[in-house]
Amino acid sequence: MSWADASPRRVVDVDLTSGRARETRCAPADVAAYLGGRGLAARRLADRQVWDREPLGADALLVLASGLLNGTGWPAASRVQFAFRSPLTEVYGYANAGGSLGPRLAAHDIAVLEIAGRAARPSVLVIGTSGVRLLDAPDLWGRETSETTMRLRGQYPQSAVACIGPAGERLVPLAAVIVDGERAAARCGGGAVLGSKNLKAIVVEEGGGRRVPSAFRVLARAATAKILAAPGVADLSRWGTPFLVAIKNERGDLPAANHRRGSVSFVRQIDADALEAYRTESAGCPGCPIRCGRISEVRGGRYQSRSAGPEYETIDALGPNCLCGDAEALLYANARCNELGLDTISVGATIAFALECREHGLLNDPALGAGWGDAGAVAGLIDEIARREGMGALLALGTRAAAAALGDAALPYALHVKGLEIPGQEPRVAKSFGLGHATSNRGADHLYALPTIDVAHLDAAAKRHLASVYPDVLDPGDEASKPALVRFSEEYCAASDALGVCKFTTAELYALDPQDLADAVCVLGGALGAGQLLEAGERIVNLERLMNAACGLDARADNLPARFTDEPLAVSHGQTETVHEMDSLPAMLRGYYALRGWGEDGLPRAETLTRLGLSNWRGR
């Protein structure tokens, strides 16, 4: 028996219109080629020609895929993939989340859960040992995510719950899916896809679990020890991702005022030390030794709230990028996004866009308050966005569509790639992230490539994996080395997502290398080398690129807003000032395409498709 035979194999297709489910088996060859998780989700969407389906239409598809290592006891292997055609970008979209959903699906031997059709009434999909059931749930419609999760867990104890809030019900393209009340499958609008299907929640009960060889458990314990000993892990465990705020502010990589600044003077008000006063407990995904999560609470006053997080991206999006330095307002805004089911990155970026439009006289709405730095206005806009009310009716569309509605004068302030809002990195300072935002197939995304080797100065990882551009690659400003870094990182990230492994253990800190993951798969049976693992990642990236091509994209979509390519960024360091510029994004893209085996049109060449087993690709 090979590892492909030992992996989760069930493919469950649910038609919400009829309420019926049917089951097939995933071919071992597909598992061998795409591993699981993100890979199998992409394969499924490609096979079903997702580009021919409207994102929120009755025939739209939503695919959930468990990672190949979910449920095995491998450290931090709890990530699950949601994939769909995005209502925000209108191209290939996905969202990835931690929590118990991935391991629960794997415990039922489910590799892929495909959801099609539209339920006649608000419903909940329940998966358990007794099968798949679609149940009416009108009493849950309109409820926020914490109450929905609590009610469903009352009915189904120890279950995984993935649900939407009012934003998803109202088909807001910025809507997220909230997993276990604490983790968000946030980007690209998957919450709106569920809402369009009248599907309030997916519940997966406990299953029988996966059996693994004793040698696998030994390897998993060794991997856990490596993770805990890795530099940077202690900071993640102690502070969570907020520890990045002060570091990024110091180097000018903390986007502020809609990316017109790279640092803020009020950083001490919102950094990890400041937020620590509100932490009530630590949290973590099942089987994770890092436990980077936290529960935060504002116990009284105007911003009384309780929620998971906030993560670095949320802090930057709703704080510095809107020039808001009120920690309690920031915590409240994070809580409202979680309760309403919204992507904090896109929401913060869209509000920042609106604030800049106000500054230039393009918007004049009382909901924007006093403009930049008005924390109360930012917090208040979140409910308006989720409910499509007032100014929120415009901002709920996201920056690209909102700018189009306002006219040409607003376009320079709408910062996105392929329709997805720019996250909390400064491309003129961190050139690898700038290139990664441009090339990411789901739009501007720090996690698609997560090229941290240079900004974190991971010398050992650079020597092992990027010898051809070492040591230049360790300089965040060296553009010539960035194509190699982004290409490698994209493939390692794709493989990590396919295995269901948290990137904090892989492409963020390199506690584990591709060989470590390949060894884990091998112990399940059969043979898989690090090269084959990365080739699977390359195959996934290329397949996703082909789906975008079928949606009408080419190299012209691999770009950055003019703010990053045409405007310099001045960052002050005490009495000195450093000016950062992007010298040539086109040159970086040409180098990246060449390394990928793509043409000048940004699409895979025939020989690349043949090498990756994609030569039978049929797009439009």
Side-chain angles (χ1 to χ4, degrees):
M1 181 177 69
S2 74
W3 61 266
D5 293 306
S7 67
R9 292 280 301 284
R10 293 175 65 197
V11 177
V12 178
D13 294 327
V14 178
D15 181 355
L16 297 176
T17 304
S18 66
R20 298 193 183 98
R22 68 183 184 91
E23 182 179 321
T24 56
R25 303 291 287 177
C26 190
D30 281 346
V31 179
Y34 296 97
L35 303 177
R38 180 173 148 192
L40 287 182
R43 179 77 252 178
R44 191 71 178 178
L45 290 180
D47 287 346
R48 301 295 296 276
Q49 297 183 309
V50 68
W51 53 88
D52 283 336
R53 303 165 186 258
E54 291 300 315
L56 300 180
D59 66 343
L61 298 176
L62 178 74
V63 173
L64 278 73
S66 60
L68 190 146
L69 293 179
N70 283 174
T72 62
W74 187 259
S78 64
R79 309 294 297 189
V80 66
Q81 188 84 357
F82 292 74
F84 43 87
R85 187 176 182 188
S86 167
L88 179 63
T89 67
E90 298 186 338
V91 295
Y92 165 77
Y94 74 77
N96 190 281
S100 65
L101 183 61
R104 290 282 189 273
L105 287 169
H108 288 284
D109 194 34
I110 295 175
V112 174
L113 173 65
E114 183 181 295
I115 301 171
R118 178 178 292 150
R121 293 168 294 279
S123 302
V124 170
L125 186 67
V126 180
I127 298 170
T129 54
S130 58
V132 179
R133 294 167 288 161
L134 185 65
L135 307 176
D136 288 351
D139 58 316
L140 293 179
W141 204 253
R143 300 190 185 275
E144 296 183 354
T145 61
S146 64
E147 183 179 3
T148 301
T149 301
M150 179 183 68
R151 284 173 172 249
L152 288 171
R153 280 193 164 162
Q155 291 179 263
Y156 308 98
Q158 306 303 314
S159 62
V161 176
C163 68
I164 60 173
E169 295 171 4
R170 288 169 172 78
L171 311 186
V172 173
L174 312 182
V177 182
I178 304 299
V179 178
D180 294 344
E182 296 181 1
R183 298 291 170 177
R187 310 230 68 193
C188 299
V193 178
L194 278 179
S196 74
K197 296 181 173 302
N198 270 334
L199 192 59
K200 178 67 175 180
I202 300 166
V203 177
V204 184
E205 298 180 281
E206 282 192 295
R210 293 179 63 184
R211 294 182 179 179
V212 297
S214 58
F216 183 90
R217 291 191 289 272
V218 171
L219 199 63
R221 287 194 293 270
T224 297
K226 288 183 70 172
I227 291 168
L228 292 175
V233 167
D235 284 333
L236 270 177
S237 296
R238 174 69 180 85
W239 303 105
T241 56
F243 90 92
L244 293 168
V245 173
I247 295 172
K248 288 168 72 69
N249 191 71
E250 177 65 24
R251 66 183 180 222
D253 188 23
L254 186 74
N258 203 24
H259 287 264
R260 284 185 293 174
R261 305 183 196 171
S263 61
V264 293
S265 60
F266 56 78
V267 67
R268 295 279 185 179
Q269 299 169 213
I270 57 166
D271 65 8
D273 275 322
L275 296 177
E276 182 67 10
Y278 301 95
R279 181 170 65 89
T280 58
E281 60 184 285
S282 296
C285 297
C288 180
I290 300 176
R291 295 185 61 78
C292 67
R294 41 258 306 115
I295 305 299
S296 300
E297 187 172 351
V298 180
R299 298 184 184 275
R302 178 183 181 184
Y303 297 121
Q304 182 173 343
S305 58
R306 184 180 188 275
S307 69
E311 303 294 337
Y312 160 74
E313 289 288 341
T314 299
I315 296 168
D316 180 63
L318 297 169
N321 210 31
C322 297
L323 288 185
C324 293
D326 186 324
E328 293 192 355
L330 177 58
L331 290 166
Y332 176 83
N334 174 61
R336 292 310 296 152
C337 284
N338 288 347
E339 288 286 8
L340 296 165
L342 284 166
D343 172 11
T344 58
I345 298 175
S346 284
V347 165
T350 304
I351 293 174
F353 155 78
L355 293 172
E356 188 165 5
C357 286
R358 178 190 182 278
E359 178 184 339
H360 292 281
L362 301 176
L363 282 175
N364 184 22
D365 191 285
L368 296 173
W372 294 112
D374 189 333
V378 170
L381 280 168
I382 292 169
D383 276 77
E384 288 198 7
I385 289 170
R387 303 185 191 284
R388 290 182 179 264
E389 297 173 350
M391 174 59 58
L394 173 68
L395 303 187
L397 302 174
T399 56
R400 181 173 67 178
L406 290 175
D408 290 349
L411 296 180
Y413 316 132
L415 306 185
H416 67 86
V417 175
K418 303 178 179 78
L420 189 63
E421 287 75 18
I422 304 280
Q425 295 76 44
E426 174 43 62
R428 288 161 290 190
V429 174
K431 303 294 183 72
S432 59
F433 276 95
L435 178 60
H437 289 335
T439 61
S440 166
N441 284 321
R442 69 169 176 170
D445 180 14
H446 61 297
L447 293 173
Y448 196 87
L450 197 59
T452 60
I453 281 177
D454 56 354
V455 293
H457 204 82
L458 301 176
D459 185 82
K463 284 180 181 176
R464 285 196 302 273
H465 306 300
L466 295 160
S468 64
V469 289
Y470 180 84
D472 294 344
V473 70
L474 292 171
D475 176 3
D478 180 71
E479 295 186 5
S481 61
K482 300 318 170 200
L485 172 55
V486 170
R487 179 203 171 176
F488 170 77
S489 299
E490 282 182 345
E491 291 168 7
Y492 194 25
C493 282
S496 297
D497 287 339
L499 296 180
V501 174
C502 177
K503 292 172 190 167
F504 283 162
T505 68
T506 59
E508 174 79 20
L509 298 172
Y510 285 83
L512 302 178
D513 277 343
Q515 189 62 57
D516 295 301
L517 301 186
D519 289 345
V521 175
C522 284
V523 174
L524 294 178
L528 180 74
Q532 291 171 295
L533 183 90
L534 291 171
E535 186 178 85
E538 182 185 7
R539 185 175 295 109
I540 294 165
V541 168
N542 276 267
L543 181 58
E544 293 167 347
R545 173 67 43 148
L546 291 170
M547 283 193 281
N548 274 355
C551 291
L553 297 191
D554 57 23
R556 289 170 293 183
D558 293 338
N559 211 336
L560 290 173
R563 173 148 295 167
F564 306 118
T565 57
D566 298 349
E567 299 175 19
L569 175 74
V571 178
S572 297
H573 305 278
Q575 299 299 314
T576 63
E577 184 177 83
T578 303
V579 176
H580 299 271
E581 295 182 83
M582 182 164 284
D583 295 327
S584 180
L585 177 62
M588 286 196 287
L589 285 168
R590 286 193 296 272
Y592 172 84
Y593 292 162
L595 290 174
R596 278 251 166 266
W598 294 355
E600 293 182 0
D601 57 359
L603 302 179
R605 298 184 187 276
E607 56 268 27
T608 301
L609 296 179
T610 298
R611 178 173 59 80
L612 296 173
L614 294 171
S615 56
N616 62 346
W617 163 257
R618 295 190 303 276
R620 286 195 185 279

